[in-house]
Amino acid sequence: MTSTGIRLHAPAPGWSIDADVVVVGSGVAGLTAALRCEAAGLTTVVVTKARLDDGSTRWAQGGIAAALGEGDTPEQHLDDTLVAGAGLCDEEAVRILVTEGPDAVRRLIATGAQFDASTDGRLELTREGGHHRRRIAHAGGDATGAEISRALVEAVRARGLRTIENALVLDLLTDAEGRTAGVTLHVMGEGQHDGVGAVHAPAVVLATGGMGQVFSATTNPAVSTGDGVALALRAGAEVSDLEFVQFHPTVLFLGPDAEGQQPLVSEAVRGEGAHLVDADGVRFMLGQHELAELAPRDIVAKGIMRRMRERDAEHMYLDARHFGAEMWERRFPTILAACRAHGIDPVTEPVPVAPAAHYASGGVRTDSRGRTTVPGLYACGEVACTGVHGANRLASNSLLEGLVYAERIASDIARTGLHARVPQPVPAAERPAHPLLPPEARLTIQRTMTRGAGVLRSEASLAGAADRLHRLHADARDALDENGKTAEPGVDTWEATNLLCVARVLVAAARLREETRGCHWREDRPERDDTAWRRHIVVRLNPDRSLAVRTTDTTDFPPTLPQAQEQ
């Protein structure tokens, strides 16, 4: 795989540092990879877009899934994951997840993460949608992500790992043979480094999280602008399954015009017995699935949307009044506080909820070691597509996937001796190869995607979205080609440009997949079609910035690297 030669328009790096490994992102995947690399004796640098504890992990409420309970087994966890993935999971990737997961969680506990336990010291486990057993470990009631983040950040600081905070990664550096040679980045504000610089390293681990900000309403933080996927595409890497964006069924409804990050009402609330009801108090999920409110997320989201249409309503309700004040305060203090902050008291009234963009099941295509199609470039966590999630992620598998595959990446880097290679980056072309969008394009992209590629999709809606996105792309390209002008380089313009890149790929894949599967719901193609579509859609970026789209022959991913590069 060769690089596209495309890089964001940005000033030349004014400073540089050297490392064996650079990890981009500071969630559970990034910090786990960094700690394991450092423990293997590798000089490791962590680059993160905000503060170390400010990524998506800290917002995770429900917990982390693993077969840790009495009577549970990895095989049962595997079965539930495969069912949720709607025929598109890579079974070997899932088997790795569920068999290595329990020990990975135990190592996380040894690192310092404190999960809720009963008086006899056993982990308190709960259920969430799609799980047939209680296997979700949680912390602080509904603050699992915050606790995991705290423990990992403390470990990183205790080990003295070098970190660069408030830094937006720009592009991958490669050598003359197309191998990874580091990254360029822009550090915002004052600090040890400022402005555009570079970290030279023969191994780069992308752990940049999701791309929820491509939609108007999302549970993702403002930093989730698809930067890792966009960087990988420009570097020549392949992405897969980007059409499978999971819309969380129960997000606090703040009004039809609410935009940006929205408060999540964890699936664990339903796991503890809350009911979905309409305005008349009718439980509409009964009879739609054997697990009712605890069906996989795509089924619950569709059930809510159907009922909203039938009732001409903007939202449904989650009723957990029967919990009582004590349980709300003990088990779900974060959610209780968020609801009350918006004038809703779950103790005395049902909570208005509606689906919102939550998790990208697809991403940068990797193998079982986390390797992408660019030598030396790895990916883990939400930015990656390992094959674990298929067409719909099983609840609370995300933290586990980040944990397990981050450890596998660190092991592979140490095992192969990749870090011993001295990177020789190829200088950037003098003329910028990628035009930048103005900051106001971000809102246009988000509204376009919500209208055309949201929970409900059709050929007509997707075609409209594709046309609007193409016009944004063409306008920026034409301005650059005609007079060499582009929007002023800066965080706002880089983010808007990254969002357009991932939006174009998502819409292209969603248009091609003419069926309904998992969290991809085509109104004009309501049936699942295993004969034609039980396969993956893979996309890469051509040097002329057009998209190359293909499908795999089977549900299995082809190898990411040629056999000659296997070690």
Side-chain angles (χ1 to χ4, degrees), residues 21 89 107 123 157 188 260 269 277 329 462 468 509 513:
V21 184
C89 295
R107 285 188 288 273
L123 286 176
R157 288 176 174 156
M188 299 164 271
V269 178
V277 299
E329 291 165 0
L462 290 166
R468 286 186 288 273
R513 184 173 291 281

Side-chain angles (χ1 to χ4, degrees), residues 227-267:
D227 306 318
V229 172
L231 174 149
L233 283 163
R234 289 192 296 272
E238 293 181 346
V239 304
S240 184
D241 298 0
L242 230 60
E243 69 271 31
F244 296 117
V245 175
Q246 187 176 81
F247 286 76
H248 197 287
T250 53
V251 176
L252 186 62
F253 181 75
L254 301 180
D257 299 322
E259 295 181 325
Q261 186 178 9
Q262 313 287 302
L264 176 66
V265 182
S266 170
E267 196 146 350

Side-chain angles (χ1 to χ4, degrees), residues 57-65 115-116 124-128 135-146 148 248 264-269 272 297 331-332 334-335 358 393 395-399:
T57 291
R58 65 175 289 223
W59 298 100
Q61 294 174 345
I64 185 167
F115 292 96
D116 296 335
E124 283 187 354
L125 302 175
T126 190
R127 277 182 69 194
E128 291 184 350
R135 66 168 64 98
I136 316 299
H138 49 83
D142 59 357
T144 309
I148 290 173
H248 197 287
L264 176 66
V265 182
S266 170
E267 196 146 350
V269 178
E272 296 293 348
R297 287 178 177 173
R331 183 68 177 84
F332 302 111
T334 307
I335 298 170
H358 181 58
R393 174 177 67 90
S396 288
N397 268 359
S398 52
L399 293 174

Side-chain angles (χ1 to χ4, degrees), residues 99-394:
T99 55
E100 298 183 9
D103 283 343
V105 173
R106 294 183 185 103
R107 285 188 288 273
L108 179 62
I109 293 171
T111 302
Q114 299 177 13
F115 292 96
D116 296 335
S118 56
T119 54
D120 63 1
R122 295 184 181 183
L123 286 176
E124 283 187 354
L125 302 175
T126 190
R127 277 182 69 194
E128 291 184 350
H131 293 273
H132 282 80
R133 284 192 175 272
R134 285 182 170 265
R135 66 168 64 98
I136 316 299
H138 49 83
D142 59 357
T144 309
E147 170 58 19
I148 290 173
S149 181
R150 179 205 62 77
L152 291 173
V153 168
E154 286 189 4
V156 164
R157 288 176 174 156
R159 298 295 292 266
L161 266 72
R162 187 167 190 173
T163 61
I164 304 176
E165 296 179 293
N166 301 309
L168 171 63
V169 67
L170 299 175
D171 280 303
L172 188 75
L173 295 172
T174 54
D175 64 17
E177 298 178 2
R179 298 177 301 181
T180 294
V183 293
T184 55
L185 63 156
H186 173 77
V187 181
M188 299 164 271
E190 297 180 1
Q192 185 176 1
H193 301 290
D194 199 6
V196 175
V199 180
H200 296 149
V204 171
V205 181
L206 292 179
T208 52
M211 55 184 190
Q213 290 291 327
V214 79
F215 294 96
S216 296
T218 177
T219 62
N220 291 189
V223 294
S224 298
T225 51
D227 306 318
V229 172
L231 174 149
L233 283 163
R234 289 192 296 272
E238 293 181 346
V239 304
S240 184
D241 298 0
L242 230 60
E243 69 271 31
F244 296 117
V245 175
Q246 187 176 81
F247 286 76
H248 197 287
T250 53
V251 176
L252 186 62
F253 181 75
L254 301 180
D257 299 322
E259 295 181 325
Q261 186 178 9
Q262 313 287 302
L264 176 66
V265 182
S266 170
E267 196 146 350
V269 178
R270 282 176 279 137
E272 296 293 348
H275 302 145
L276 282 165
V277 299
D278 60 21
D280 294 329
V282 176
R283 287 183 64 187
F284 54 87
M285 285 303 299
L286 292 175
Q288 294 200 35
H289 190 276
E290 60 167 337
L291 297 176
E293 285 93 351
L294 284 177
R297 287 178 177 173
D298 62 311
I299 294 172
V300 179
K302 291 169 188 175
I304 291 174
M305 293 299 294
R306 286 193 188 101
R307 196 65 163 188
M308 286 166 56
R309 282 182 160 188
E310 292 169 4
R311 301 298 303 269
D312 192 24
E314 294 177 326
H315 60 81
M316 289 289 109
Y317 293 93
L318 189 63
D319 192 351
R321 290 174 290 181
H322 55 286
F323 284 5
E326 190 278 332
M327 181 174 175
W328 267 110
E329 291 165 0
R330 175 184 60 83
R331 183 68 177 84
F332 302 111
T334 307
I335 298 170
L336 179 63
C339 289
R340 285 177 170 170
H342 291 282
I344 300 156
D345 189 349
V347 177
T348 60
E349 61 186 317
V351 179
V353 293
H358 181 58
Y359 188 88
S361 292
V364 185
R365 187 168 79 81
T366 74
D367 64 10
S368 63
R369 302 182 202 171
R371 301 178 300 181
T372 74
T373 51
V374 175
L377 178 65
Y378 295 78
C380 55
E382 190 173 356
V383 71
C385 183
T386 62
V388 160
H389 303 309
N392 183 50
R393 174 177 67 90
L394 181 65

